[in-house]
Structure formats: C-alpha cells, structure tokens
Amino acid sequence: MRLVIGGLLLLSSATAAATSTKCTFYPPATAPVPSVEFLGYERVGPVLIHGAGGPSTLPYKSWKVVTFDERSKAIHFVYTNPGDPALPPSFTVKGRGRHTQLLVGGQTYTGELSCGS
C-alpha cells in the first residue's frame, strides 16, 4: 500500500512540474513589453505577460513558437495582437540567452532569456 501511495505522489508531482516555467524573457525597463514567461512541458504554452496589473495570458492563437530550445536558451517567438488594446502590441522575441532581442513597433530591445528549473 505504501508503494502505491508513493507512486501516486510521484505521479502527482510530475504532473505539477508539467506546467512549470520553461523560460522567461526579461527585456530592459525601457521596452514597451514587460517580461514574458513561457510555460509548458514538452512544448511551449501558455505564455504569460507580467505587466503592472499582474500576469495575463496571451490568447492562444495569437502567438507562434517558430523555434525553441530550452537547453541552449534559444527562441524565436512571434506574437500578433488580435486587435485588443488591453493586450501588448505585436512583438517578436528572438535570440539566445543574454543576446535575445525584443522587436516591437520597429524598435529593438536587447534583454535576456533565462531558462532553468
């Protein structure tokens, strides 16, 4: 019985880890888009924006992960604002580690993509 309960506890903790943060992009304070948190397990989803009012989820079909490699801290992510002024403007996050760029409104901001447990 203890073995069964122990196994169930391991499974439940694995499930909790499945929705953990994969990586977070930290732009400079001057950027019009706040930090972006990429959640998921085998693939990215959902994506959170951490603004002044707290975190909010980007609408699922408004973004696309072109490439993503958590180990090398590399990403190419594209978000298109669906016409909602309450959401951030359309932007792209592309790069690796400390050389990750946020492209928004014709401007480029260099930030850092941080990945880890």
Side-chain angles (χ1 to χ4, degrees), residues 20-23 40-41 68-75 113-117:
S20 66
T21 300
K22 296 181 81 51
C23 297
Y41 181 58
F68 177 75
D69 183 3
E70 185 176 0
R71 287 186 203 196
S72 66
K73 301 177 185 175
I75 194 164
L113 183 69
S114 177
C115 303
S117 47

Side-chain angles (χ1 to χ4, degrees), residues 15-94:
T15 302
T19 58
S20 66
T21 300
K22 296 181 81 51
C23 297
T24 303
F25 173 69
Y26 299 99
T30 56
V33 174
S35 65
V36 182
E37 186 175 2
F38 302 96
L39 305 174
Y41 181 58
E42 290 181 9
R43 54 188 163 162
V44 173
V47 177
L48 298 177
I49 297 292
H50 292 272
S56 62
T57 306
L58 292 177
Y60 179 68
K61 293 189 179 200
S62 67
W63 53 266
K64 178 181 178 182
V65 177
V66 179
T67 59
F68 177 75
D69 183 3
E70 185 176 0
R71 287 186 203 196
S72 66
K73 301 177 185 175
I75 194 164
H76 183 177
F77 172 86
V78 178
Y79 163 72
T80 304
N81 182 301
D84 185 344
L87 294 171
S90 299
F91 65 87
T92 298
V93 175
K94 186 176 182 180

